[in-house]
Amino acid sequence: MNSGSDFKLSLKKDVALIEPSGGGVMILQTATHRVTLKPVTASLRVILTTLATEATTTEQLEQLAQAADGQPGRAGLHKLLPQLFTRGLLCRSVWLDDQPLATAAPLTAPNGFQTGEVAPDRLYILSRFVYGHTVTGQLALESPRSQTQVILHHPLAAAMVAILAQPQRSDELVVKMPNLPVNVIKLLLNLLLNVNMLTEFQENGVTREDENLALAQWEFHDLLFHSRSRRGRHAHPGGNTMRFKGQIEPLPVLKPDMSAQVIPLYQPNLDSIIAADAPFTQVLEARRSIRAYGDPPLTVEQLGEFLYRSARVRSIVQTELGALSSRPYPSGGAMYELELYLAVDRCVGLDRGLYHYQPQAHQLHKLAAKENDVETLLQDAARSMIQPVRPQVLVIMAARFQRVAWKYETLAYAMILKNVGVLQQTMNLMATAMGLAACALGNGDSDLFARAAGTDYYAETSVGELALGSVPDSVPDWAAMDVDKSES
Ligand SMILES: Cc1cc2nc3c(=O)[nH]c(=O)nc-3n(C[C@H](O)[C@H](O)[C@H](O)COP(=O)(O)O)c2cc1C
C-alpha cells in the first residue's frame, strides 16, 4: 500500500520501449521523438521496463536499480530521471492506496524539472489560467502556462481542485477534505505547483503569478489562444493536416449567391489606373485613418472601383484539393475565406441596406436584412470610432470558418484574423490611393451581424470591419488621430 508519501512515476502511455536485438541500445519512441539510451545495463533495463508497465515510486526504483547493479545502478537512476522528465517522457502521479488520483502527463518537453513543495504556512490558489476539459472520457486540467496536462482520475482530486478556486493553506484543506490523508493532499498540491497550475496567494491579495507584470496583463482567453495557435506548448498536430479530407466536403471557393437582387458594379480599366496612380510610397506615407466624411457621400462607381481593385477574384485555379482563387490581397493557403458585406448608410446610386459582395461576378447582392439591424451595425461602427456620424459604408469582413478549418489544424482562427489585417491594410491603402476616408475596426458584434445577414454564427460571421466614406473638405485632427479614445 502507498498512501502517498511520494509521487509515482511512469512512462507516458504513448512511449514505446524498444530494445533492438544485438543493438546495445534502448530506444524510447513516441509519435514524434526517439531517444536512444546506452550502454544498456541491467539497472537501466529494469528501470525502463518497470516505468513502462506500472506506476512506481523513486524509492522502489532505487531498490530495483541497487539490486541490479549496486551503487552505480542507483546513481544512474538519479541521472536518468531528470533526463526523462525534461524530454517530456515521464508522468508523475498521486495515488491513494491502489487508486490513482491525479497524473501529470507532459504534453511537450517541459521547460525544466520543477520539484518545489508548498509551504505549510502559505496560502495557495489555482492559477487563473487553468481550465478543465474532457480528454477520452477523463477530466484533464490544462493551462497556457503549462506544458503538462493533469488528468484527474478521481472525484476527490476534482473536489480538491474546486476548493482551490479560493486561497487555501494545506492544513485548511486537510479539514475540508477529510477523505484524503495529509501527505496525499500535500502531494496533490506539489503536483499542481510544479506544473504552474497552483500559485501562492500573498498577504497583499496578489498572486505570485500576477506579480509578473507581463503575465498580469494577459487575459485567460488571449493567452490560451496564443499558446494553442502557435507551436511550443502543446503537442497537437498543426498546419496543413486536412483532417476532414474524405469525411466532409470542403467549402466551395465562392459562396453561392445570397439573393436574386443583383447590382452589377463598375469595373475600372486597370491600365488607365496604373498610368494615373500615385506612386506607392506617396500612398503609403499619406495613409492615415480618417473618421469623418464629406458631402456628397461616396458613389456606387467609387465603391465598385474600390472593391474591384482591392478584393475581386482575379482568377480561379483548379487543384487536386478543390478550387483556389487569386485576389489582390494575400490570404493563408489561398483559401480566401473572407466574405465582404456592406452595410450602406449613404452612397450615391445605391440604396441603404445590407449587401453581399460577389467577388468573381463583381456584383452586390442585396440582402433582406432588418432596417434596425443595419442601423445598429452602422451605429456600433460610429461608436467604435467615438464619432457622432455613421460611416457612409461599413465594410464587414465575415469568415466562412470551415474553408480554413477544413485544411488547417491548430492555427485556423489565428490565420483568419491575420487575413483580416491583411485585407484591412489593402483597403486602407486603396482608400488613400482613391482619395477616400477609411478606418479599420475590430470590435464589431458578430451575433448582430449573423442575425442581420442570416448566417449561422458557427459557419460564418463577422471578424473585422472597415469604415469607408468620402473625404471631408478638411479632416479635423480629432477625426484623423484618436488613438487614446478609440475602442480598439
Ligand atoms: C485592427 C485595427 C483595429 C482598429 N480599430 C479601431 C477602432 O475600433 N476605432 C478607431 O477609431 N480606430 C481603429 N483603428 C485605427 C487605429 O486607431 C489607427 O490605425 C491608429 O491610431 C494609427 O493611426 P493611423 O491609421 O491614422 O496611422 C484600428 C486599426 C486596426 C489596424
Side-chain angles (χ1 to χ4, degrees):
M1 176 178 118
N2 173 282
S3 16
S5 55
D6 198 0
F7 293 128
K8 285 195 176 191
L9 308 175
S10 56
L11 281 184
K12 263 186 82 178
K13 282 215 175 66
D14 63 345
V15 180
L17 185 60
I18 306 162
E19 187 174 2
S21 57
V25 295
M26 287 194 89
I27 296 167
L28 299 168
Q29 180 77 57
T30 70
T32 50
H33 287 88
R34 160 182 286 236
V35 175
T36 305
L37 298 170
K38 61 178 187 185
V40 181
T41 57
S43 53
L44 181 74
R45 188 177 291 120
V46 74
I47 292 166
L48 290 178
T49 47
T50 306
L51 287 171
T53 47
E54 62 185 281
T56 181
T57 61
T58 310
E59 196 185 333
Q60 288 163 334
L61 289 172
E62 278 172 347
Q63 285 164 9
L64 291 170
Q66 175 92 30
D69 281 328
Q71 188 53 32
R74 211 181 160 98
L77 171 72
H78 287 286
K79 263 176 68 183
L80 177 68
L81 291 181
Q83 283 178 12
L84 296 179
F85 269 118
T86 49
R87 287 170 182 204
L89 301 172
L90 208 53
C91 297
R92 287 186 272 192
S93 51
V94 180
W95 288 56
L96 177 65
D97 300 330
D98 54 359
Q99 293 188 74
L101 295 178
T103 298
L107 295 167
T108 58
N111 284 334
F113 172 32
Q114 294 188 45
T115 55
E117 293 192 2
V118 293
D121 55 339
R122 303 270 166 83
L123 287 165
Y124 293 90
I125 188 167
L126 208 59
S127 158
R128 67 188 175 89
F129 294 103
V130 172
Y131 62 98
H133 69 136
T134 52
V135 179
T136 55
Q138 291 189 300
L139 180 59
L141 299 182
E142 289 183 10
S143 160
R145 287 201 58 221
S146 184
Q147 284 141 315
T148 302
Q149 183 179 66
V150 174
I151 308 286
L152 302 177
H153 305 282
H154 198 284
L156 282 173
M160 195 177 117
V161 167
I163 291 173
L164 282 165
Q166 296 284 327
Q168 309 287 336
R169 270 198 324 264
S170 54
D171 56 357
E172 292 171 334
L173 278 169
V174 172
V175 177
K176 289 175 184 165
M177 299 289 307
N179 293 333
L180 289 182
V182 62
N183 49 351
V184 172
I185 288 179
K186 279 197 187 133
L187 276 183
L188 282 170
L189 290 173
N190 292 344
L191 190 85
L192 295 171
L193 186 73
N194 288 322
V195 296
N196 289 337
M197 292 193 184
L198 199 68
T199 180
E200 198 184 319
F201 187 86
Q202 303 176 108
E203 277 172 16
N204 60 5
V206 178
T207 62
R208 272 249 185 264
E209 75 183 355
D210 278 344
E211 258 185 351
N212 175 336
L213 294 184
L215 201 49
Q217 292 169 71
W218 274 101
E219 283 186 72
F220 162 71
H221 72 280
D222 275 340
L223 192 57
L224 178 58
F225 179 41
H226 172 62
S227 64
R228 275 294 268 107
S229 57
R230 308 271 307 164
R231 283 188 289 120
R233 227 158 241 220
H234 63 85
H236 300 277
N240 175 5
T241 60
M242 292 187 277
R243 66 197 190 285
F244 297 111
K245 195 175 163 201
Q247 300 168 43
I248 302 177
E249 276 298 299
L251 290 187
V253 61
L254 294 176
K255 183 169 179 179
D257 290 354
M258 289 181 75
S259 105
Q261 213 178 324
V262 177
I263 295 112
L265 287 171
Y266 164 70
Q267 285 193 22
N269 178 314
L270 285 183
D271 289 335
S272 324
I273 288 174
I274 290 166
D277 238 358
F280 176 71
T281 301
Q282 192 177 314
V283 173
L284 199 58
E285 291 303 312
R287 188 217 59 80
R288 58 182 176 152
S289 300
I290 300 179
R291 303 171 179 84
Y293 307 104
D295 209 1
L298 88 165
T299 65
V300 69
E301 284 77 21
Q302 284 174 310
L303 202 52
E305 177 176 335
F306 176 81
L307 290 169
Y308 188 86
R309 291 176 67 185
S310 53
R312 77 184 184 284
V313 168
R314 293 197 285 216
S315 60
I316 293 196
V317 283
Q318 298 299 332
T319 73
E320 268 179 28
L321 293 167
L324 297 177
S325 60
S326 164
R327 308 185 194 197
Y329 64 97
S331 174
M335 298 313 282
Y336 288 100
E337 74 286 355
L338 296 180
E339 296 293 324
L340 295 180
Y341 293 80
L342 306 179
V344 176
D345 180 33
R346 296 199 308 138
C347 176
V348 177
L350 190 64
D351 290 343
R352 195 180 139 95
L354 187 66
Y355 299 81
H356 175 245
Y357 176 57
Q358 218 290 9
Q360 188 183 35
H362 189 54
Q363 296 168 337
L364 293 180
H365 291 209
K366 186 150 196 239
L367 307 181
K370 289 204 178 89
E371 165 52 31
N372 257 355
D373 288 342
V374 176
E375 177 61 16
T376 314
L377 286 167
L378 290 162
Q379 297 253 6
D380 268 6
R383 207 170 310 120
S384 279
M385 296 185 286
I386 325 282
Q387 299 301 327
V389 288
R390 311 173 196 89
Q392 292 169 351
V393 172
L394 179 67
V395 180
I396 302 170
M397 297 160 194
R400 286 190 296 152
F401 299 109
Q402 294 138 268
R403 179 108 181 117
V404 179
W406 185 89
K407 182 172 179 185
Y408 292 104
E409 195 166 354
T410 289
L411 49 74
Y413 190 64
M415 180 179 277
I416 289 170
L417 296 188
K418 286 165 188 161
N419 289 337
V420 168
V422 165
L423 183 53
Q424 284 179 329
Q425 172 65 344
T426 303
M427 289 189 157
N428 252 301
L429 291 175
M430 190 54 62
T432 307
M434 289 180 60
L436 295 174
C439 180
L441 303 174
N443 197 16
D445 181 337
S446 306
D447 266 297
L448 168 65
F449 169 78
R451 189 173 68 229
T455 60
D456 168 1
Y457 184 91
Y458 300 106
E460 179 189 350
T461 192
S462 58
V463 283
E465 293 84 14
L466 182 109
L468 195 65
S470 59
V471 174
D473 290 340
S474 69
V475 179
D477 278 353
W478 51 264
M481 225 358 167
D482 218 353
V483 184
D484 291 340
K485 286 195 281 161
S486 64
E487 273 185 28
S488 56

